[in-house]
Amino acid sequence: MVAMLEQREWTDWQFTREDLRQTPSVHCGWTVEREELDRAKACSLIYSASRKLQLPQVTSASACVYLHRFFMRHSLKEYHHYNIAATCLFFACKAEETLRKLDLFIPVIVYYASKGNRKAPPGTGEFEKWRTVILRTEVVLLEALCFDMVVDHPYVFLIEALEKARPTQQLSQMAWNFIADFLRLPLCLVYSPRAIAVAAISLATKVASAEMRKGMEDGSWMDRVGAGNESVVEVVQWLLDFYTREAQARSVSHAGADSASNEVAQTPASSPGSATSPMSSAVISHQPSPMSETK
């Protein structure tokens, strides 16, 4: 069964690193690094909302894959990454048969998308704006995906690899958690689920304590799982490089926020853009965006 999944994975959704330098967003002015950060932010929203909604990992993982596939055919200039994150997660709930009603779904999305600054209970204008976004964009999402809802997840291959590698329970859990971080990046468009699963184990062995790495020190486990070392190294390095860029982006963002706070402190509370004024909502047009651009 695993072999069949591996073969099916590489059809319409296989891309190269070069393809990621020529995406619709890049053609619209995004840098590759900026697009990667926006995709990661969107997937972080998916994970936060999924935990609150008590969704299984397979649902959030499918949503992340849908999002990465979507932005190979549409740009971030045209569709805000949080709007697509919400739509992908709602659609994934249907695809994975873990349905959640919009009355419950939307308030959770709005809370995490606004970092707790907004509420959208049913019946409010904010709720209706998000409802419109999700239902309209769902049609665009389906067309972009060519109605292909099948996703082969690294988790399936991770279970198989862990059985062969035989790591400690703690290292196994660490590898399982790393899968989520790998899926925040468009790795799933370039590398097979098997390569990502093995890379998760490899990264776990690099950061785990000596006690947790027991039995994995010599690297012979990679021979047992039949992994191609080159792909695994590339996958791990991609994530490590992203960690560095993400930390730098957060540092710049925090510095900018501190500077803005100092300026706002001198601004009358009633003036537009002050700390006490509500977040503005964009007008619904071709691509409605119910929330302001989030840093």
Side-chain angles (χ1 to χ4, degrees), residues 154-168 170-179 182 193-208 212-213 215-216 219-222 224-227 232 235-236 239:
Y155 294 111
V156 176
F157 300 93
L158 180 60
I159 293 172
E160 177 198 34
L162 289 173
E163 289 176 350
K164 294 179 178 179
R166 301 187 295 276
T168 63
Q170 296 94 326
L171 194 143
S172 296
Q173 185 61 54
M174 186 178 293
W176 191 271
N177 294 338
F178 274 129
I179 293 289
F182 282 128
R194 181 188 296 278
I196 294 173
V198 176
I201 301 175
S202 177
L203 183 55
T205 61
K206 293 179 183 297
V207 301
M212 293 171 62
R213 290 199 306 270
M216 306 281 285
S220 60
W221 64 271
M222 295 191 71
R224 294 197 295 272
V225 301
V232 171
V235 173
V236 170
L239 182 61

Side-chain angles (χ1 to χ4, degrees), residues 43-57 60 89 100 108 112 180-181:
C43 291
S44 292
L45 172 59
I46 287 172
Y47 286 130
S48 295
S50 294
R51 284 191 293 270
K52 184 65 175 179
L53 293 166
Q54 298 183 333
L55 292 168
Q57 284 181 310
S60 54
L89 182 56
R100 296 294 186 274
V108 171
Y112 287 107
D181 266 1

Side-chain angles (χ1 to χ4, degrees), residues 20-291:
L20 294 176
R21 299 184 183 97
Q22 302 293 331
T23 63
S25 298
V26 171
H27 284 298
C28 287
W30 263 245
T31 63
V32 173
E33 293 75 18
R34 180 186 174 188
E35 178 174 8
E36 196 167 71
L37 283 169
D38 284 346
R39 287 179 184 236
K41 288 178 184 177
C43 291
S44 292
L45 172 59
I46 287 172
Y47 286 130
S48 295
S50 294
R51 284 191 293 270
K52 184 65 175 179
L53 293 166
Q54 298 183 333
L55 292 168
Q57 284 181 310
V58 68
T59 300
S60 54
S62 291
C64 290
V65 174
Y66 294 154
L67 182 138
H68 290 307
R69 291 177 177 179
F70 179 87
F71 282 121
M72 296 305 292
R73 296 186 173 171
H74 292 281
S75 74
L76 284 153
K77 181 178 181 180
E78 186 181 10
Y79 294 93
H80 192 283
H81 50 286
Y82 280 177
N83 292 356
I84 300 304
T87 305
C88 286
L89 182 56
F90 186 67
F91 178 68
C93 287
K94 298 178 181 179
E96 301 296 343
E97 299 182 351
T98 53
L99 299 178
R100 296 294 186 274
K101 293 183 178 180
L102 283 173
D103 286 3
L104 175 64
F105 184 87
I106 290 176
V108 171
I109 288 290
V110 173
Y111 177 84
Y112 287 107
S114 66
K115 296 180 174 63
N117 293 319
R118 281 186 175 185
K119 294 182 179 180
T124 62
E126 188 76 7
F127 179 92
E128 290 303 319
K129 288 175 184 177
W130 276 94
R131 181 178 181 276
T132 300
V133 165
I134 292 171
L135 296 183
R136 284 186 182 179
T137 312
E138 190 174 40
V139 178
V140 183
L141 173 64
L142 273 168
E143 292 175 348
L145 297 177
C146 299
F147 297 87
D148 181 4
M149 299 177 289
V150 177
V151 176
D152 298 329
H153 293 295
Y155 294 111
V156 176
F157 300 93
L158 180 60
I159 293 172
E160 177 198 34
L162 289 173
E163 289 176 350
K164 294 179 178 179
R166 301 187 295 276
T168 63
Q169 181 62 38
Q170 296 94 326
L171 194 143
S172 296
Q173 185 61 54
M174 186 178 293
W176 191 271
N177 294 338
F178 274 129
I179 293 289
D181 266 1
F182 282 128
L183 290 177
R184 292 174 65 216
L185 304 176
L187 284 156
C188 58
L189 304 178
V190 180
Y191 298 99
S192 70
R194 181 188 296 278
I196 294 173
V198 176
I201 301 175
S202 177
L203 183 55
T205 61
K206 293 179 183 297
V207 301
S209 64
E211 181 65 24
M212 293 171 62
R213 290 199 306 270
K214 189 175 181 180
M216 306 281 285
E217 299 89 347
D218 60 359
S220 60
W221 64 271
M222 295 191 71
D223 295 329
R224 294 197 295 272
V225 301
N229 186 63
E230 183 177 350
S231 293
V232 171
V233 171
E234 291 173 357
V235 173
V236 170
Q237 192 58 51
W238 189 341
L239 182 61
L240 293 178
D241 290 344
F242 175 75
Y243 282 157
T244 300
R245 291 196 301 274
E246 187 177 40
Q248 292 171 344
R250 285 175 177 170
S251 177
V252 172
S253 178
H254 290 162
D258 291 341
S259 176
S261 297
N262 292 334
E263 293 177 3
V264 168
Q266 302 173 20
T267 305
S270 58
S271 64
S274 70
T276 56
S277 59
M279 295 175 65
S280 60
S281 298
V283 177
I284 293 179
S285 56
H286 167 66
Q287 169 53 20
S289 181
M291 62 171 295

